Amino acid sequence: MSEIELPADHPRYASLLTRHRIEDGVEKGITSKQGLIAQGRGEAFDYLLGEQTIPSADRAERAAAAQLLLADHPVLSVNGNVAALVAPEIVDLAAAVDADIEVNLFNRTEKRMEAIAAHLREHGADAVKGLTADGRIPNLSHERAKVDADGIGAADVVVVPLEDGDRAEALADLDKTEIVIDLNPLSRSAQTAAIPIVDNIIRAVPTMTEHAEELHGSASETLNTIVDQFAASDALTAAEEAIRTGV
Ligand code: ATP
């Protein structure tokens, strides 16, 4: 038995564990009720992908790791679903690529911002940005535009998992390289990303960390080659085909 009263060899274990974590996130005030809907959408796509990391997603995760290692100021954006699902894994990825962690919410309330920051600190984050909110993303309404000026505001590479399409588009319009994790290859977030990762965040984040650890210390030419050889449109096409055909 693990985190929930369910044997780890249950065929729906990963999916039920994910649901349990989101439900727990709502109870703790970390995840919004809207987050439950986002989870349901994601789960449907994951079911069609066979709940596995397809080869094109693994290549995207490797390219993302290389891009993060090349960055001057990488930032990992965390919302309520991300915090509920992968808080310790986000802390590990931030350590592997020397990135800042910033809480960034679609439905921003100070209470939820604080709850998420506290949850991340409980899982080992030493500094959590997002609470100062002294920067703005242009072309978004007031609450949704708030970021930290020395966090996402100053980042050159941003990881935005499970992001709403509007904000992903507004961020991509800035001079930042955007890495998106989203199970829906047709979502605007995935479509606007420089590196779209079509995989469940539960699998994607630890895999990015593994790639980063393996690539750590590589010459920048090697990392640049990995990034240059990655084609976002090919990755999206491969994911859509896997979902449509089941192959
Ligand atoms: P669009 O980008 O098309 O405007 P949206 O803004 O309506 O989409 P939301 O439902 O707000 O999208 O965002 C949730 C997105 O996150 C969905 O595309 C969903 O597939 C994805 N998602 C949900 N759970 C996960 C997960 N565990 N791992 C990866 N992606 C997920």
Side-chain angles (χ1 to χ4, degrees), residues 5 17 27 63 77 82 150 157 202 215 222 239:
E5 289 301 305
L17 178 64
E27 273 163 23
S77 175
V82 176
D150 67 348
V157 178
I202 285 202
L215 291 170
T222 309

mmCIF file of all heavy atoms in Angstrom, residues 5 17 27 63 77 82 150 157 202 215 222 239:
data_model
loop_
_atom_site.group_PDB
_atom_site.id
_atom_site.type_symbol
_atom_site.label_atom_id
_atom_site.label_comp_id
_atom_site.label_asym_id
_atom_site.label_seq_id
_atom_site.Cartn_x
_atom_site.Cartn_y
_atom_site.Cartn_z
ATOM 1 N N GLU A 5 -5.004 3.965 -0.177
ATOM 2 C CA GLU A 5 -5.262 2.571 0.158
ATOM 3 C C GLU A 5 -5.530 1.781 -1.119
ATOM 4 O O GLU A 5 -6.654 1.385 -1.408
ATOM 5 C CB GLU A 5 -6.464 2.470 1.102
ATOM 6 C CG GLU A 5 -6.174 2.975 2.497
ATOM 7 C CD GLU A 5 -5.035 2.214 3.168
ATOM 8 O OE1 GLU A 5 -5.105 0.970 3.254
ATOM 9 O OE2 GLU A 5 -4.047 2.858 3.570
ATOM 10 N N LEU A 17 -3.970 7.425 -8.284
ATOM 11 C CA LEU A 17 -3.078 8.187 -7.408
ATOM 12 C C LEU A 17 -3.114 9.672 -7.800
ATOM 13 O O LEU A 17 -3.173 10.558 -6.944
ATOM 14 C CB LEU A 17 -1.649 7.641 -7.541
ATOM 15 C CG LEU A 17 -0.574 8.343 -6.722
ATOM 16 C CD1 LEU A 17 -0.832 8.189 -5.234
ATOM 17 C CD2 LEU A 17 0.807 7.787 -7.068
ATOM 18 N N GLU A 27 -8.649 19.935 -1.210
ATOM 19 C CA GLU A 27 -8.941 19.988 0.239
ATOM 20 C C GLU A 27 -7.974 20.881 0.999
ATOM 21 O O GLU A 27 -8.359 21.569 1.935
ATOM 22 C CB GLU A 27 -8.924 18.575 0.831
ATOM 23 C CG GLU A 27 -10.287 17.919 0.696
ATOM 24 C CD GLU A 27 -10.241 16.417 0.875
ATOM 25 O OE1 GLU A 27 -9.296 15.914 1.510
ATOM 26 O OE2 GLU A 27 -11.156 15.743 0.353
ATOM 27 N N ALA A 63 15.315 17.669 -24.972
ATOM 28 C CA ALA A 63 15.578 19.010 -25.529
ATOM 29 C C ALA A 63 15.285 20.079 -24.470
ATOM 30 O O ALA A 63 16.016 21.067 -24.352
ATOM 31 C CB ALA A 63 14.716 19.234 -26.770
ATOM 32 N N SER A 77 7.346 27.542 -13.639
ATOM 33 C CA SER A 77 6.089 28.124 -13.171
ATOM 34 C C SER A 77 5.230 27.018 -12.552
ATOM 35 O O SER A 77 5.104 25.929 -13.113
ATOM 36 C CB SER A 77 5.388 28.760 -14.380
ATOM 37 O OG SER A 77 4.128 29.225 -14.013
ATOM 38 N N VAL A 82 -0.013 21.599 -10.578
ATOM 39 C CA VAL A 82 1.402 21.201 -10.575
ATOM 40 C C VAL A 82 1.864 20.958 -9.133
ATOM 41 O O VAL A 82 2.512 19.950 -8.835
ATOM 42 C CB VAL A 82 2.265 22.297 -11.251
ATOM 43 C CG1 VAL A 82 3.740 21.940 -11.176
ATOM 44 C CG2 VAL A 82 1.825 22.513 -12.703
ATOM 45 N N ASP A 150 11.776 39.923 -10.959
ATOM 46 C CA ASP A 150 13.066 39.229 -10.999
ATOM 47 C C ASP A 150 12.895 37.712 -11.134
ATOM 48 O O ASP A 150 13.844 36.948 -10.985
ATOM 49 C CB ASP A 150 13.889 39.564 -9.741
ATOM 50 C CG ASP A 150 13.244 38.996 -8.478
ATOM 51 O OD1 ASP A 150 12.069 38.555 -8.537
ATOM 52 O OD2 ASP A 150 13.904 38.981 -7.422
ATOM 53 N N VAL A 157 14.217 31.500 -20.132
ATOM 54 C CA VAL A 157 13.538 30.231 -20.442
ATOM 55 C C VAL A 157 12.513 29.958 -19.332
ATOM 56 O O VAL A 157 12.849 30.044 -18.145
ATOM 57 C CB VAL A 157 14.549 29.055 -20.521
ATOM 58 C CG1 VAL A 157 13.822 27.740 -20.798
ATOM 59 C CG2 VAL A 157 15.601 29.305 -21.604
ATOM 60 N N ILE A 202 3.371 14.014 -14.335
ATOM 61 C CA ILE A 202 3.887 13.048 -13.352
ATOM 62 C C ILE A 202 5.091 12.276 -13.909
ATOM 63 O O ILE A 202 6.018 11.936 -13.202
ATOM 64 C CB ILE A 202 2.740 12.098 -12.942
ATOM 65 C CG1 ILE A 202 1.818 12.865 -12.030
ATOM 66 C CG2 ILE A 202 3.231 10.806 -12.360
ATOM 67 C CD1 ILE A 202 0.957 12.040 -11.142
ATOM 68 N N LEU A 215 23.000 15.143 -18.799
ATOM 69 C CA LEU A 215 23.621 16.138 -19.691
ATOM 70 C C LEU A 215 24.477 17.161 -18.943
ATOM 71 O O LEU A 215 25.207 17.929 -19.573
ATOM 72 C CB LEU A 215 22.525 16.899 -20.473
ATOM 73 C CG LEU A 215 21.750 16.093 -21.516
ATOM 74 C CD1 LEU A 215 20.561 16.893 -22.016
ATOM 75 C CD2 LEU A 215 22.662 15.708 -22.680
ATOM 76 N N THR A 222 27.117 20.811 -27.613
ATOM 77 C CA THR A 222 26.336 19.562 -27.543
ATOM 78 C C THR A 222 24.887 19.890 -27.174
ATOM 79 O O THR A 222 23.944 19.379 -27.796
ATOM 80 C CB THR A 222 26.937 18.624 -26.454
ATOM 81 O OG1 THR A 222 28.328 18.508 -26.689
ATOM 82 C CG2 THR A 222 26.271 17.268 -26.449
ATOM 83 N N ALA A 239 2.518 13.195 -31.508
ATOM 84 C CA ALA A 239 1.623 12.986 -30.364
ATOM 85 C C ALA A 239 0.177 12.863 -30.842
ATOM 86 O O ALA A 239 -0.570 11.981 -30.395
ATOM 87 C CB ALA A 239 1.762 14.143 -29.383
#
